[in-house]
Amino acid sequence: MSDIRLSQDAEYLLCELYTAYRIRRKNGMTSDKAKLFGGSKAIQTEFIQQWPTNDIDEAARELHRCGMLLCGYGDNSIRNCVLLSNGIVYMEHHFGDKLDQLIQRIAALRAAIFG
């Protein structure tokens, strides 16, 4: 899995979803529920207000193709998605318990994407 290369958009979305997953788990949510995310509109509202939903859709499709998200589609957009074990393992391999590095990476990606 270490040979997987992601676009900055896909990596940013994965980082945001993984962070939310970790927070949910820390707050006592079960793993199966912590992995559930809504569609692109819900993700935009909860996590990335400044990102257009069509960009979220495209990043989610890339993560789906890489086996990191399972996405349900409707009207050519993401209606729901689930963070898969491959996505969690990928993030654990890159960041482990180093949340400060994850936060720094999110900030760097945010700056690159949004200016």
Side-chain angles (χ1 to χ4, degrees), residues 8-111:
Q8 287 183 339
D9 287 358
E11 184 181 355
Y12 176 63
L13 179 60
L14 182 60
C15 285
E16 290 285 0
L17 296 179
Y18 178 71
T19 300
Y21 166 79
R22 292 280 308 262
I23 291 168
R24 290 171 173 183
R25 293 291 290 145
K26 184 178 178 180
N27 290 334
M29 189 178 285
T30 62
S31 179
D32 59 333
K33 289 188 180 187
K35 293 177 185 178
L36 298 176
F37 295 90
S40 52
K41 285 190 182 281
I43 291 169
Q44 180 191 50
T45 300
E46 285 189 57
F47 307 107
I48 319 168
Q49 293 82 20
Q50 69 274 29
W51 214 12
T53 56
N54 57 339
D55 288 350
I56 295 169
D57 287 334
E58 188 58 35
R61 284 185 189 98
E62 180 179 340
L63 293 170
H64 178 86
R65 288 189 299 271
C66 291
M68 295 184 188
L69 283 184
L70 177 62
C71 298
Y73 301 93
D75 295 331
N76 205 26
S77 65
I78 305 299
R79 292 293 177 212
N80 57 63
C81 66
V82 178
L83 181 60
L84 296 175
S85 296
N86 285 345
I88 294 168
V89 169
Y90 178 87
M91 294 301 289
E92 288 174 348
H93 176 74
H94 281 79
F95 297 102
D97 289 333
K98 299 174 183 98
L99 291 181
D100 57 330
Q101 289 180 359
L102 176 58
I103 291 167
Q104 289 173 0
R105 185 61 183 152
I106 289 171
L109 289 166
R110 200 177 280 146

